[in-house]
Amino acid sequence: MDDRPSSHAVGVSLCDSAPLLWRVEDLRTVRSQGLVGALLGSLPRTPRQNVRLGRPLLLLEEEETLLRERQAAAAGYQQDGRGAELRLQVQQHKEDQQRSYEEQSVLALEDRKSALLRAMTSSHTESGAGAQGGALRGRLEALDRSFTFPCSALAVQLSTARAGLSYCPEARVVLRADRPIRGRDELNCDAARYQVFRDLRGRGFYLTSAGKFGGDFLVYPGDPLRFHAHFIAVCVSENESVGLLDLLSVARLGSNVKKTVLLCSPGPDGRVLYTSLQWSGMV
Amino acid sequence: MADQNKKEPELKFYNEILTPSELFAARSRSRKIPVRGQKDFFPDDSDEQRRRLEQSLTEHWSLISEERVEKLGNLVKATWIPSQQIVELQSPAGKFWQTMGFSATGKQFLLPEEALYLMECGDLQVLHQDLPLSIQDGYEKFLSSSTVSLLQYQVFGHLKRLGYVVHRFDPSSQPSSYARQLNLPQSRDRAEKRGKRKRSDSPSTTSSHTEAQEESDRMEDKRGVHEGEDDEKLPESHPATSPETSGTHNAAASSAGAGGTWWMADVLGDQSDHQPTSGSSSHRDFGSILFPDLGSREHLSSCLASPDPSLLPGSLAVGVCDVSHWRQRINLREVKMSPKEQEREEARRKRRWDVNKDRQVRRCRNWAEYRELLARRGGRREGRPAHLWNREVTPLHDPRQPIPTGQLLEKISVIESTHLLEGASRLKDSDDWRICFNVYQPDSVADFKKSDPGKPYSRMCVCSFGGPVPDLRAIKQLALQSGDVLVVFAVVDHGDISFYTFKDFQLPTDVIP
């Protein structure tokens, strides 16, 4: 489906220290790597609802770390040094808009003509074609002369991602994958969580955040678009003692939402020990 | 954008700008969201599943990649002012102005979170340095710790998309704990109220004091503003105190100035000051003052001599009093009793408690004190020992007020359940938790006024799943700050937002009354 090489660097932009992805291409790239993230923005098509959201995509810290790890060796983007002056950019923007206006007014005229043509021909197919044809030609010529495309009807784009030619040159800095997005110490990604995330992702599972289920990750057997989550992963280090009540409460919660609770304990050599709790059925 | 993907990624400079024909075509695109079908339980590698996944993903990407395209005439234009962190409108505002934005110096402004939300809705185009800002620019420029954080904006956007009216919470708009204690109305008429209170300090309004005003007066006393200049303040009907007591009370009053039992003493002290003539004759020999006994048979004179003028207040002159009129009304006949009756009467007299032998009564120096004593005793007889009630610490329950057993048990229980606001005013402010937004319900939008938004439906506190749970102290403080409006904790977990509230819970009691 989307088999771009993983050498494609993903442009992560930090907003309030949260890693956000903006460009569709980047979103596709991370999804093709099985990283789901979470959409935060309003959907352009129908903005006033929360059922389906749009860009930007917020990455989990683990996802960000994984991306960084995978792409550390990849040849990243080189900055092309196109730091056009602001004045030129404003000029460019105005010219673009003017060109867009001209093109759109041609399109609008054509649109109007074809609509007129359709209306005339469909309603007068049987009656005297000659006279009608003359009238049609007259109407079309009149339209050609008098048509003006109002400026307010000009369709303009409210860009989602910052355009490449936008005036903000620092945008391109983060595109270089060989430059870490953030230093390791800046990331407060828990090592245990990351190890579990990496292991589960490595086994082909899709993961999302499971805060509302009282766990660390929700584990999906396939793309979350099509599949329900099977597990609630709770990261517990191997030698950490867990209170019985805590254990029971996560297990109870898991059974209530028809998911299995996985206690994930990262081992020494990158392996993870998975344990699940089940009611024995004995009375 | 498909054509861009074919280019070499290393060399391509990224943009998602639509061509004019794409823009034109976008005018007639669908506004519907494709319905998501039932999810599968487990991937089974079937073609059917693969096809459905493919379809879902195609829909997903078409939705995600869609750009906002609006007609220029439908867009409100604005500019970003980085120095003030606000957005100034350049063209007339749209419908959103009813619930968003503010005017200042003849200009219309939007707060950054409002502007960003409107940008996301395709209602607003924000320019900076004559170039339109993308949504990404908006997120990166508008959201900061000095305005609204990303976390807070997530909550803001979530609620706005649901139709709620969301405003920033301004702690200074809340009445102070002092104002709240006085139960004053909201800040708008606070100034007027203050004027009223000043007027109430005049003597004439004493009797019409409302509770709040009285309280405020007392507060003023405490702060030393009041210096006893309003001695007329006391009601006329106050029982007279003898000149002898006035001396001690004066002392008490003066010590009250230094902050002792200021209130009670103040009252009595003022009263004694009010009797100018009594000051000189400080001691009286009550044994030498004769009270006439009109019932006595020995007394034959029909006239009473005028009393000693030194005993009378001021310039009051009392002449000779003719008592013959009164004597006619008194039954002067001797009571004829049988010997048995006489015996009984004798016994009764022996048993009878002679009021003059009572030490406490003898200690009374005037009628007021005697009356007080009687009242005290009366109270005791009624089941409420007065000495238990006239001090700072009083019994838990007044036995004269019968209440059901359940209530009584609740009342006398030493460990009581408390409510959220209890003791909250004593807590010091902390900056760890703060209320972010006032939220008004969607159905209030129609007649919503920004100038007079009324009481919010709830107040939002934004936190993250990664952070700590608010402790009782924080909950109390926020509840106090919010007053009678519910504080809701919006907990953001990555993309999900959950809303929680901490509510007082009254445990049911199973005592049958």
Side-chain angles (χ1 to χ4, degrees):
Chain A
M1 164 195 71
D2 210 342
D3 291 317
R4 245 184 303 273
S6 65
S7 65
H8 169 76
V10 172
V12 175
S13 87
L14 292 183
C15 170
D16 207 12
S17 82
L20 298 182
L21 295 189
W22 286 94
R23 304 171 309 178
V24 175
E25 200 180 341
D26 292 342
L27 263 66
R28 282 175 177 272
T29 305
V30 297
R31 188 63 163 241
S32 71
Q33 297 180 23
L35 305 178
V36 184
L39 291 165
L40 298 187
S42 306
L43 193 69
R45 184 175 289 198
T46 36
R48 288 174 175 86
Q49 46 83 31
N50 283 315
V51 183
R52 299 205 71 168
L53 295 175
R55 287 177 282 166
L57 185 84
L58 173 69
L59 292 178
L60 283 171
E61 275 151 3
E62 288 76 19
E63 291 171 329
E64 188 192 351
T65 313
L66 193 71
L67 275 178
R68 198 168 46 116
E69 210 176 73
R70 283 193 186 163
Q71 293 172 354
Y77 262 43
Q78 289 305 307
Q79 199 173 341
D80 55 5
R82 255 193 293 179
E85 269 181 60
L86 179 67
R87 195 168 43 79
L88 294 176
Q89 289 176 33
V90 175
Q91 177 104 29
Q92 178 79 44
H93 173 68
K94 280 191 179 141
E95 282 169 13
D96 285 350
Q97 189 142 329
Q98 183 57 35
R99 206 184 65 240
S100 179
Y101 172 76
E102 282 158 12
E103 281 189 41
Q104 284 191 44
S105 70
V106 171
L107 289 167
L109 180 59
E110 277 171 16
D111 200 41
R112 190 72 68 83
K113 276 183 183 169
S114 64
L116 188 68
L117 212 61
R118 244 191 340 268
M120 300 283 274
T121 49
S122 62
S123 58
H124 305 286
T125 34
E126 310 92 24
S127 55
Q132 292 298 331
L136 180 63
R137 220 174 300 118
R139 295 276 291 275
L140 285 175
E141 278 164 13
L143 193 64
D144 255 336
R145 276 193 307 276
S146 67
F147 181 77
T148 50
F149 183 62
C151 213
S152 63
L154 175 71
V156 292
Q157 179 185 359
L158 296 166
S159 302
T160 307
R162 184 184 298 121
L165 276 173
S166 184
Y167 60 91
C168 198
E170 65 264 29
R172 274 158 275 145
V173 177
V174 291
L175 303 188
R176 281 182 285 164
D178 53 355
R179 204 187 95 122
I181 299 158
R182 282 190 273 188
R184 179 131 206 121
D185 46 338
E186 275 179 80
L187 268 174
N188 52 349
C189 170
D190 186 56
R193 263 175 66 110
Y194 180 60
Q195 199 177 329
V196 171
F197 181 89
R198 225 183 101 97
D199 189 73
L200 283 170
R201 181 75 277 275
R203 292 163 189 255
F205 290 107
Y206 285 70
L207 294 106
T208 64
S209 182
K212 61 182 169 186
F213 291 101
D216 286 297
F217 304 112
L218 271 180
V219 186
Y220 294 81
D223 194 303
L225 270 180
R226 290 295 316 152
F227 299 100
H228 292 291
H230 282 190
F231 310 109
I232 300 169
V234 181
C235 302
V236 192
S237 76
E238 232 169 353
N239 45 14
E240 186 185 340
S241 68
V242 182
L244 181 62
L245 287 180
D246 292 342
L247 195 67
L248 284 180
S249 59
V250 284
R252 172 68 79 175
L253 189 119
S255 69
N256 268 8
V257 292
K258 295 202 180 76
K259 299 188 199 317
T260 306
V261 170
L262 281 185
L263 298 177
C264 314
S265 309
D269 48 352
R271 290 153 57 89
V272 180
L273 180 72
Y274 297 99
T275 320
S276 84
L277 192 72
Q278 213 174 18
W279 308 117
S280 73
M282 303 236 323
V283 186
Chain B
M1 273 147 283
D3 55 330
Q4 291 168 343
N5 295 345
K6 289 169 199 145
K7 291 191 215 160
E8 192 62 31
E10 253 73 19
L11 302 172
K12 183 178 64 74
F13 191 65
Y14 200 88
N15 76 57
E16 293 174 348
I17 301 284
L18 302 180
T19 64
S21 54
E22 281 172 327
L23 286 173
F24 190 76
R27 304 200 308 176
S28 54
R29 72 187 174 193
S30 157
R31 289 271 172 186
K32 274 192 214 136
I33 304 177
V35 199
R36 266 190 283 205
Q38 197 68 39
K39 286 185 179 182
D40 293 324
F41 181 68
F42 201 81
D44 56 5
D45 278 333
S46 68
D47 285 344
E48 173 66 11
Q49 264 193 2
R50 204 169 296 125
R51 190 190 55 76
R52 276 197 297 224
L53 175 63
E54 200 95 349
Q55 193 197 337
S56 294
L57 278 169
T58 311
E59 278 172 6
H60 176 73
W61 292 121
S62 76
L63 276 183
I64 294 301
S65 61
E66 208 163 81
E67 287 285 316
R68 291 168 181 80
V69 178
E70 301 293 334
K71 284 182 188 172
L72 206 55
N74 295 347
L75 279 173
V76 175
K77 275 199 173 170
T79 52
W80 167 238
I81 308 172
S83 58
Q84 295 173 54
Q85 300 273 299
I86 47 171
V87 170
E88 184 191 331
L89 295 190
Q90 303 295 319
S91 63
K95 217 174 82 185
F96 61 80
W97 192 252
Q98 194 182 1
T99 57
M100 286 189 250
F102 64 96
S103 303
T105 60
K107 291 171 183 165
Q108 293 180 308
F109 297 100
L110 286 170
L111 291 172
E113 67 273 21
E114 295 174 329
L116 186 52
Y117 171 71
L118 290 170
M119 282 167 76
E120 286 203 85
C121 288
D123 293 333
L124 184 77
Q125 186 176 43
V126 180
L127 302 165
H128 180 50
Q129 296 174 331
D130 292 326
L131 288 170
L133 291 182
S134 64
I135 306 290
Q136 185 183 1
D137 288 319
Y139 269 72
E140 287 166 16
K141 286 183 194 306
F142 297 177
L143 304 183
S144 67
S145 53
S146 65
T147 56
V148 158
S149 69
L150 177 66
L151 223 56
Q152 288 163 353
Y153 180 71
Q154 278 181 258
V155 175
F156 178 86
H158 183 91
L159 292 168
K160 288 299 287 183
R161 283 191 286 267
L162 290 173
Y164 287 95
V165 178
V166 187
H167 283 176
R168 279 192 199 174
F169 173 74
D170 177 13
S172 65
S173 71
Q174 289 305 105
S176 67
S177 61
Y178 172 56
R180 215 194 303 269
Q181 202 179 345
L182 304 189
N183 200 18
L184 290 179
Q186 278 295 306
S187 58
R188 215 183 313 269
D189 35 42
R190 215 183 282 168
E192 184 214 304
K193 202 77 196 169
R194 199 170 291 135
K196 228 181 197 169
R197 218 173 59 187
K198 277 218 174 90
R199 275 200 302 281
S200 81
D201 278 348
S202 72
S204 59
T205 55
T206 308
S207 53
S208 65
H209 266 192
T210 67
E211 208 174 81
Q213 284 165 343
E214 218 154 52
E215 178 122 14
S216 70
D217 286 339
R218 256 182 262 164
M219 295 298 248
E220 272 183 358
D221 287 354
K222 221 173 199 170
R223 280 178 277 132
V225 176
H226 157 95
E227 289 293 0
E229 77 279 3
D230 46 357
D231 41 354
E232 290 163 295
K233 209 167 162 180
L234 291 150
E236 313 289 323
S237 62
H238 196 89
T241 36
S242 82
E244 196 182 44
T245 58
S246 76
T248 62
H249 280 306
N250 271 337
S254 57
S255 76
T261 54
W262 48 275
W263 192 49
M264 285 294 283
D266 205 8
V267 168
L268 292 164
D270 284 350
Q271 179 64 22
S272 61
D273 286 347
H274 198 48
Q275 296 182 326
T277 54
S278 59
S280 56
S281 55
S282 56
H283 285 281
R284 273 179 183 157
D285 181 9
F286 289 98
S288 68
I289 302 169
L290 290 171
F291 286 87
D293 180 7
L294 294 186
S296 136
R297 272 168 306 244
E298 291 85 53
H299 199 293
L300 298 170
S301 163
S302 63
C303 281
L304 277 181
S306 59
D308 182 357
S310 70
L311 298 175
L312 294 173
S315 53
L316 192 68
V318 180
V320 175
C321 181
D322 181 8
V323 291
S324 55
H325 174 67
W326 297 102
R327 282 177 64 88
Q328 278 166 21
R329 294 195 184 184
I330 302 170
N331 182 7
L332 294 173
R333 264 181 304 167
E334 210 170 340
V335 182
K336 289 266 182 351
M337 282 188 286
S338 66
K340 208 174 184 179
E341 271 178 335
Q342 268 178 14
E343 207 173 291
R344 211 182 293 153
E345 183 66 14
E346 196 62 34
R348 199 190 296 163
R349 193 172 295 156
K350 269 182 191 161
R351 262 185 285 125
R352 204 166 66 187
W353 168 74
D354 182 0
V355 80
N356 288 317
K357 281 181 185 145
D358 189 315
R359 273 192 175 184
Q360 275 181 303
V361 174
R362 288 173 76 91
R363 221 174 287 143
C364 292
R365 286 163 302 194
N366 50 37
W367 285 109
E369 283 188 20
Y370 178 62
R371 232 176 279 144
E372 205 181 290
L373 180 72
L374 282 187
R376 217 157 50 220
R377 286 185 172 159
R380 192 187 296 154
R381 216 165 298 132
E382 282 166 48
R384 187 184 133 154
H387 66 281
L388 291 180
W389 291 88
N390 55 15
R391 267 171 286 174
E392 208 173 330
V393 179
T394 56
L396 291 170
H397 181 65
D398 183 348
R400 291 178 305 177
Q401 292 166 357
I403 52 170
T405 321
Q407 275 180 41
L408 182 68
L409 285 179
E410 199 176 292
K411 200 171 168 184
I412 64 173
S413 60
V414 177
I415 300 172
E416 273 180 272
S417 60
T418 75
H419 53 93
L420 270 185
L421 286 174
E422 204 161 285
S425 54
R426 286 198 300 273
L427 295 172
K428 264 189 251 158
D429 287 344
S430 76
D431 293 331
D432 298 345
W433 292 90
R434 59 186 193 89
I435 301 173
C436 295
F437 301 117
N438 283 339
V439 181
Y440 304 87
Q441 275 192 303
D443 55 14
S444 70
V445 171
D447 40 27
F448 185 84
K449 284 198 195 76
K450 279 185 292 187
S451 58
D452 181 21
K455 200 171 89 170
Y457 171 64
S458 63
R459 295 210 166 92
M460 284 291 152
C461 208
V462 178
C463 54
S464 122
F465 256 84
V469 175
D471 54 4
L472 187 59
R473 176 196 167 86
I475 295 169
K476 272 174 176 282
Q477 274 170 347
L478 294 174
L480 176 76
Q481 199 174 23
S482 179
D484 53 352
V485 178
L486 195 66
V487 178
V488 178
F489 289 84
V491 191
V492 184
D493 172 42
H494 208 46
D496 289 318
I497 303 172
S498 319
F499 297 94
Y500 298 99
T501 49
F502 293 92
K503 282 185 178 169
D504 269 325
F505 183 73
Q506 207 71 48
L507 275 177
T509 48
D510 50 0
V511 174
I512 299 151

